Amino acid sequence: MRKIMLAGTIAVGLGIFLVGAVLTGEEGITQSANENPQIDYQGFLKQVQEVAKVREKRRVSEEEFIRMMNDPKTIVLDARSKRMYDLLHVKGAVHISLPDMTAEDLAELIPQKDTRVVIYCNNNFKNEPQAFAPKAPVASLNLNTYNTLYSYGYRNIYELKPLLDRRETKIPFAGTSAENSK
């Protein structure tokens, strides 16, 4: 009898705990977020879903990328590290490392938020492991760069879609690696 009562008490306690956890699930996350108002994970998740709807329509072919990059009103943006950018980058691309993207730095680099911005990353090029070391697909720099630009109000963003062979692409490159291979 005691074992049955103890098991019942444990079950009721566990049930109350689980109901409490379910009821405070999102609220608990929000409360944690309120501990640091500069980090908003729920907002991030919401924005990722919003960006996903837009981004897929804004991924461009190699030909379209080249056409856009040749338009003087377009900014080609490289968000890799300065070291990788200096080594090899799309010719004419401007650089700002993803960790350095702030509203102020972006406003200086891209003053008009309706400017067309075209991005690329390591995972767009193969056969250039030093300058374009591939990242895990879910850690692709394009994903974070697109979301970051979007969160700062830039909406005219395009992304190079295909995986291109660095030795065969028609996209021109600059940097110390490009200069040394001449």
Side-chain angles (χ1 to χ4, degrees):
M1 185 70 165
R2 279 191 135 163
K3 288 182 183 180
I4 293 173
M5 287 180 58
L6 181 59
T9 302
I10 291 172
V12 169
L14 182 59
I16 291 170
F17 171 77
L18 290 174
V19 168
V22 168
L23 292 176
T24 63
E26 191 170 318
E27 181 182 315
I29 292 171
T30 303
Q31 287 174 351
S32 295
N34 288 337
E35 293 174 13
N36 185 342
Q38 295 190 56
I39 300 171
D40 182 2
Y41 192 71
Q42 289 301 309
F44 169 75
L45 292 175
K46 182 179 177 187
Q47 180 179 288
V48 165
Q49 292 173 343
E50 187 177 320
V51 168
K53 295 173 188 171
V54 176
R55 178 182 160 266
E56 194 53 41
K57 297 173 190 167
R58 297 289 183 104
R59 298 179 73 214
V60 298
S61 67
E62 176 183 21
E63 293 77 21
E64 188 69 7
F65 182 89
I66 292 169
R67 187 189 67 71
M68 288 179 174
M69 71 178 274
N70 288 325
D71 179 346
K73 295 179 184 175
T74 297
I75 292 180
V76 177
L77 182 69
D78 187 318
R80 296 173 304 137
S81 71
K82 176 85 167 107
R83 184 172 67 88
M84 292 298 121
Y85 173 83
D86 288 344
L87 185 61
L88 191 66
H89 59 272
V90 170
K91 189 173 184 176
V94 296
H95 176 259
I96 184 169
S97 178
L98 181 63
D100 296 333
M101 282 188 194
T102 63
E104 295 79 21
D105 290 333
L106 283 168
E108 188 175 313
L109 189 65
I110 312 168
Q112 301 299 317
K113 291 189 176 181
D114 62 347
T115 299
R116 181 169 54 201
V117 179
V118 183
I119 63 173
Y120 66 93
C121 77
N122 290 15
N123 287 13
N124 286 120
F125 301 102
K126 62 182 179 178
N127 294 322
E128 189 68 49
Q130 190 174 5
F132 292 110
K135 306 284 186 197
V138 296
S140 173
L141 191 58
N142 278 350
L143 301 174
N144 293 305
T145 302
Y146 204 110
N147 278 285
T148 299
L149 289 169
Y150 194 90
S151 59
Y152 284 115
Y154 295 89
R155 297 294 188 268
N156 199 9
I157 312 162
Y158 291 83
E159 173 190 337
L160 180 60
K161 182 177 184 174
L163 173 62
L164 302 170
D165 190 317
R166 163 62 180 98
R167 294 174 284 192
E168 296 175 10
T169 182
K170 296 173 189 148
I171 296 173
F173 288 90
T176 55
S177 181
E179 291 166 15
N180 292 338
S181 65
K182 289 180 182 179

